Amino acid sequence: MTVRRDFKEPARCRPDLVIGREELFTSARDQLARGGSVLLHGPAGIGKSTVLRALAADYGDAAHTVLRCSATESESHLPFLALADLFGLVLDEISDRLPTAQRTALESALTGRGESTLQRDGLALRLAVLSALRALAASGPVLLVADDLQWLDSASAELLGFAARRLGDTPVQLLCAVRTEGQEYDRHLRASPPDTLAVRLNPLSRNQVSALLDHRGYTDLPRSTVREIHRTSGGNPLFALELGRALGENPTPPRPGEPLPVPTSLRALVLSRLDMLSDDARRTLLVASAGARPTLALLHAAGRENAEAETARAAELGLLATEPEGPAVRFAHPLISAALYAEAPVTERRAAHAALSTAASDPIERARNLALATTGTDPEVAARLAEAAALARDRGAPSVAASLGLLAARHTPPDGTPPPDEHRLKAAEDAITAGEVDLARDIAREVLTRATVPADRIRAWEVVIEAAGQALGDVDAVFPQALADAGDDPRLLALVHYHLAWRKLIVEADFSEARQEAAHAAELAARGGDRRTELMSLSFQASTETLMGHPNAPTTIKRALKEPQDPYVACHHNGVGAARFRWLLMSDQLPEARATITALLREVRRRGMVESEVHFQRFLAETELRSGHCGRALDLSRESLRLARDSGIGLGASAMLASLAEASGGDPDRALALAREAADRAEEDGDQMYLSRALAALGHAQFVAGDAAAAVASLRRVRELETGLRITDPARGRWHGDLAEALVRVGEPGEAQDVIDVAREQALRLGRESVLAVLDRAEALVRAAHGDHEGALARLTSVQDRLAKLGYGLEEARAAFALARLRTARPGPTSYDEAARLFRRCRALPWLRQVDAAAAAGAVEPAPLAPQAPPASDALEGLASMERQVAALVMEGATNREIAARLFISVKTVEATLTRVYRKLGIRSRVDIVRLAAGRHAK
């Protein structure tokens, strides 16, 4: 399906579309042909729209769907007009392919009807636009053509920029034009796809201006006159054509050398043409210039009875463009509308806005026009503006709501109800929602310069704090001032201490202090009767206690679950439901954890709370991974990561979880890349908590990939980080077993036992049964390394049974794998059948490949920690433990595959270890090691 909207150019005008622009036209067309996007930019009248139309006509047939929009200055304040242009005709085609919350949000934005979004997450609408483009692209390439980006309403511009940055390989291309001065196009380029080519349109040369004038019929102009037109217009094609038109209408052409007897600015040219209109016709055009998407019907409703005849005359004079496809009254160029409006007396402008305040169909437009028609304060106008702001907020256009709120404040009397600062604070909160943090901060700071009511001051301080985002350390000075403003009001103090709790956690990484601040905030909120803040504080306290292994976590969760509940807090990702889920997961209650998170995920999807959906989908993936459902976990984690990348929320955490899922059920190389991405992101953010989680995922991926030495390095750093953070619960990261097993593989069983002993003490204290079982599995391998095979076999048999009863399918399979490798009484591939069956049940493909490799190598007895020294043992004294063991097995004649099986390491690790042995011993090959075994020196 191809959607054709604006930019229809009459066939007779085609030849001049790219006069003087042939080279850049070819460059832009080639960019589109390669699948890239194009951003045309340059000053007003330079020909951007002309080139845009030509490119769209030339390349549009290659696209399956063409979406078009063109904005004007007068409509830039109305939300979603550009979005309606783009998707209005295709909404029915794609709506069934969108998730419910996204479909509802998009329909509400485009129609202004449907379910209110007051309680909905604004991300739903952003993701809806992205999903809509992907749905259209599933049927074939999509070309989005947008002219005059500078006038796009802020809501549409934000949504399109959000989608454009996340399209990736989706076959959606953007062809856009924007008015700029100099090189100021970076802001628009940042909101375009990464592969966008920016093309600047420069002034035409004298010969190009001459060719343009000839094509338009001004063929009898002397060369000197053409030269003067080029000089006067500065090579701007619009100005040059207007000068040519003025000269064509002048009965006495200038003689060579004489200055042009015409105005030298477009504004003057426009005004001279407006003089040919009657006063009534000029007023009609003034109403059109002040309205958004003016139509003849709108002009009639605004009292312009002769609109048809007056607009027809304006079209004859070149002031208006014909609209063959619709009823819109469109100016031939935005500059014409701007000049007309700027030249009109103030009284006439107000009269035009007053007429539109009753004639316009959109309540937001009516309210804005009423404001522009009114001087000074007026409670009724302020009320209308506040209602319009609420409507914009409901539609999901917080940026528009913020601007309307500021207008409401301007028209509110100082003693009005509500007072002006109430409108300003609401506008600041809307700006935060819209991501306009600088505007929000400026509004809040302005309120603080004069506000004396403590509640208003705390509300303003909250905006300043929220505007800081994760960089709470940048607003340290705010907290003492906010505490002083809160005085002894427990409700206000509770809000400040809740933010302080987050600061303690994010800035200082101090779980204990964060817990105390949250507990204090909950107590204050309870005294002040603020149940929502009390529940959020209790939830924060419970989550912190759970992560730090504090014994009060279950009690705090029970307190947070008491009635009355707040529906928003109950399903928020920082609310009590999430806190209870974390506790269930860490307490080995997997079925209850799955039921809890599934219900939460269902509820946030119903409510359209996309930010919470991102987190909860990741939580569900983690639950499935713990349960050994690796295929399901892999699908969920990949979807969670895609949603995180789309929304920009929880990228590090989602990459970390996706790494764990890939290592268990997907691609180990991708697991390594994702873990490194998560670690790099946490390092950049200075987030020590998630850095430890990311490094734990990296260590696990390295362990699965067979690089035990790298895994040890990563997991040792995790141990250091969590010691510094005072995180003692081994169920938080569950990395201790991996570290212990990796240490055994590199020949450090003593350190491995230390890791096990420390983690076991805390796991026993907290009753972490699955952690204890995994630690026992690692300890069995320590025993095997010391030669106690019988004890290791007995321990592994018990561990496998315990993990099966707890429901940890993947850990059960790993125990069976370790057990198979130790069973030397029944050598051969059949000894691995149980491990292969369990890994297959889990869909743990990377582990299955390890089983196949071990089975192919044959069951061999693990080497004891201290093998019988060969004759050349003195030569091996300078080697590390792992290096000595590998060298000793080479001396016995073992192949690299056999060494890998006996030492529980990969063939790649064996090869790397041998390289270090060669370097340290000054030899070149395995043969030289064998010579050492025979007591001979390498020659």
Side-chain angles (χ1 to χ4, degrees), residues 537-826:
S537 300
L538 285 171
S539 301
F540 183 95
Q541 179 186 345
S543 295
T544 306
E545 289 172 346
T546 299
L547 292 174
M548 65 190 295
H550 196 284
N552 285 2
T555 302
T556 306
I557 290 172
K558 287 180 182 178
R559 287 177 58 200
L561 287 170
K562 288 181 179 178
E563 296 293 340
Q565 282 295 310
D566 183 303
Y568 174 79
V569 176
C571 61
H572 191 273
H573 56 276
N574 288 324
V576 62
R580 180 171 180 267
F581 161 77
R582 291 188 188 94
W583 183 81
L584 289 169
L585 191 67
M586 294 176 69
S587 301
D588 298 323
Q589 300 182 49
L590 295 181
E592 294 87 346
R594 182 185 293 105
T596 297
I597 198 60
T598 300
L600 286 170
L601 186 57
R602 186 185 307 115
E603 180 63 15
V604 297
R605 282 174 173 165
R606 187 188 72 81
R607 289 173 169 266
M609 298 170 65
V610 178
E611 183 174 3
S612 293
E613 181 183 353
V614 173
H615 294 293
F616 290 164
Q617 189 153 311
R618 184 177 73 250
F619 293 168
L620 180 57
E622 184 176 2
T623 307
E624 298 294 355
L625 189 59
R626 297 274 179 89
S627 303
H629 304 153
C630 298
R632 171 72 171 149
L634 187 62
D635 292 342
L636 285 168
S637 67
R638 287 174 175 173
E639 176 62 21
S640 174
L641 182 59
R642 186 192 68 78
L643 191 58
R645 293 198 194 284
D646 287 349
S647 63
I649 292 172
L651 276 171
S654 293
M656 176 272 298
L657 196 279
S659 171
L660 292 172
E662 293 284 354
S664 299
D667 181 353
D669 289 337
R670 179 163 170 75
L672 289 167
L674 287 168
R676 291 190 178 104
E677 176 189 338
D680 290 345
R681 190 175 295 277
E683 292 264 30
E684 291 172 6
D685 294 342
D687 190 335
Q688 298 295 292
M689 289 185 298
Y690 262 112
L691 178 59
S692 71
R693 296 293 305 274
L695 289 174
L698 177 60
H700 179 73
Q702 291 165 332
F703 182 79
V704 174
D707 193 347
V712 166
S714 297
L715 296 174
R716 278 173 174 164
R717 190 176 174 199
V718 175
R719 180 175 58 187
E720 294 171 3
L721 284 169
E722 294 203 353
T723 299
L725 292 169
R726 293 199 286 274
I727 297 173
T728 58
D729 190 342
R732 179 194 180 244
R734 295 179 181 265
W735 49 267
H736 308 77
D738 282 346
L739 176 55
E741 291 187 31
L743 285 166
V744 170
R745 292 189 183 187
V746 299
E748 299 291 347
E751 184 182 346
Q753 189 62 55
D754 290 341
V755 170
I756 292 166
D757 291 342
V758 172
R760 179 179 285 136
E761 180 182 355
Q762 297 298 332
L764 284 168
R765 177 178 67 85
L766 297 166
R768 306 302 194 216
E769 293 297 330
S770 65
V771 173
L772 289 168
V774 169
L775 293 173
D776 285 350
R777 184 183 68 206
E779 189 171 50
L781 299 181
V782 173
R783 290 187 178 188
H786 284 292
D788 182 7
H789 297 157
E790 293 302 320
L793 286 170
R795 178 63 63 89
L796 284 173
T797 302
S798 170
V799 163
Q800 183 180 345
D801 182 60
R802 288 157 56 197
L803 288 168
K805 290 178 180 178
L806 289 168
Y808 283 78
L810 183 59
E811 299 295 356
E812 175 195 358
R814 287 181 61 178
F817 187 28
L819 189 61
R821 301 178 82 164
L822 284 174
R823 282 176 172 159
T824 58
R826 295 188 295 271

Side-chain angles (χ1 to χ4, degrees), residues 371-417:
L372 293 173
T374 306
T375 59
T377 60
D378 187 319
E380 182 181 348
V381 173
R384 290 271 299 276
L385 287 164
E387 291 171 2
L391 179 59
R393 196 176 303 119
D394 284 359
R395 289 185 183 177
S399 179
V400 175
S403 64
L404 290 168
L406 291 176
L407 278 174
R410 186 183 308 165
H411 287 281
T412 301
D415 57 351
T417 303

Side-chain angles (χ1 to χ4, degrees), residues 465 470 472 476 479 483 493-522 524 533-534 536-545 574 689:
I465 292 169
Q470 291 288 100
L472 288 176
D476 274 347
F479 291 102
L483 287 170
L493 286 169
L495 292 170
V496 180
H497 281 282
Y498 178 70
H499 288 292
L500 274 170
W502 279 104
R503 185 201 167 280
K504 291 291 184 182
L505 189 63
I506 293 174
V507 178
E508 299 180 16
D510 191 326
F511 278 76
S512 180
E513 288 290 330
R515 171 186 173 271
Q516 291 179 28
E517 286 287 359
H520 188 38
L524 289 165
T533 302
E534 180 188 6
M536 290 297 290
S537 300
L538 285 171
S539 301
F540 183 95
Q541 179 186 345
S543 295
T544 306
E545 289 172 346
N574 288 324
M689 289 185 298

Side-chain angles (χ1 to χ4, degrees), residues 3-7 32 38 40 48-49 51-57 59-60 63 65-71 82 85-86 142-149 152 160 172-177:
V3 182
R4 301 193 179 278
R5 299 298 304 272
D6 303 314
F7 311 123
L32 292 169
V38 173
L40 306 170
K48 302 179 296 298
S49 297
V51 176
L52 187 83
R53 288 194 291 269
L55 285 169
Y59 182 73
T65 304
V66 179
L67 307 175
R68 303 178 187 264
C69 70
S70 179
D85 275 353
L86 293 170
V142 175
L143 178 65
L144 191 155
V145 184
D147 197 7
D148 280 318
L149 281 183
L152 244 63
L160 292 177
V172 176
Q173 297 169 264
L174 271 65
L175 172 58
C176 305

Side-chain angles (χ1 to χ4, degrees), residues 730-933:
R732 179 194 180 244
R734 295 179 181 265
W735 49 267
H736 308 77
D738 282 346
L739 176 55
E741 291 187 31
L743 285 166
V744 170
R745 292 189 183 187
V746 299
E748 299 291 347
E751 184 182 346
Q753 189 62 55
D754 290 341
V755 170
I756 292 166
D757 291 342
V758 172
R760 179 179 285 136
E761 180 182 355
Q762 297 298 332
L764 284 168
R765 177 178 67 85
L766 297 166
R768 306 302 194 216
E769 293 297 330
S770 65
V771 173
L772 289 168
V774 169
L775 293 173
D776 285 350
R777 184 183 68 206
E779 189 171 50
L781 299 181
V782 173
R783 290 187 178 188
H786 284 292
D788 182 7
H789 297 157
E790 293 302 320
L793 286 170
R795 178 63 63 89
L796 284 173
T797 302
S798 170
V799 163
Q800 183 180 345
D801 182 60
R802 288 157 56 197
L803 288 168
K805 290 178 180 178
L806 289 168
Y808 283 78
L810 183 59
E811 299 295 356
E812 175 195 358
R814 287 181 61 178
F817 187 28
L819 189 61
R821 301 178 82 164
L822 284 174
R823 282 176 172 159
T824 58
R826 295 188 295 271
T830 57
S831 63
Y832 289 93
D833 287 351
E834 174 70 0
R837 181 184 70 80
L838 292 173
F839 281 132
R840 195 173 294 112
R841 183 183 69 183
C842 294
R843 287 181 57 191
L845 301 182
W847 289 101
L848 267 174
R849 287 191 285 269
Q850 290 192 36
V851 171
D852 291 342
V860 290
E861 183 179 356
L865 177 63
Q868 187 68 31
S873 59
D874 290 346
L876 307 183
E877 287 302 317
L879 302 180
S881 174
M882 173 60 74
E883 294 166 350
R884 288 198 305 273
Q885 292 185 71
V886 170
L889 290 172
V890 170
M891 290 175 178
E892 293 177 9
T895 66
N896 284 4
R897 185 177 293 277
E898 290 169 341
I899 294 170
R902 294 179 68 175
L903 297 182
F904 310 114
I905 59 179
S906 68
V907 174
K908 181 179 177 182
T909 301
V910 173
E911 294 169 350
T913 304
L914 281 174
T915 299
R916 294 195 299 271
V917 169
Y918 299 157
R919 184 174 65 250
K920 289 183 178 181
L921 296 182
I923 59 179
R924 297 181 179 180
S925 68
R926 294 169 62 93
V927 175
D928 292 335
I929 295 180
V930 175
R931 287 174 177 166
L932 285 175

Side-chain angles (χ1 to χ4, degrees), residues 273-289 299 303-315 317 319-320 329 331 340 344 348:
R273 208 173 308 161
L274 287 171
D275 287 341
M276 302 180 188
L277 294 173
S278 66
D279 290 343
D280 283 344
R282 287 187 61 167
R283 292 191 184 97
T284 295
L285 291 193
L286 177 61
V287 173
S289 71
L299 294 176
R304 311 312 302 170
E305 298 177 355
N306 298 317
E308 287 90 346
E310 290 162 351
T311 55
R313 174 59 178 155
L317 294 172
L319 295 168
L320 294 180
V329 175
F331 285 88
L340 171 66
E348 290 191 10

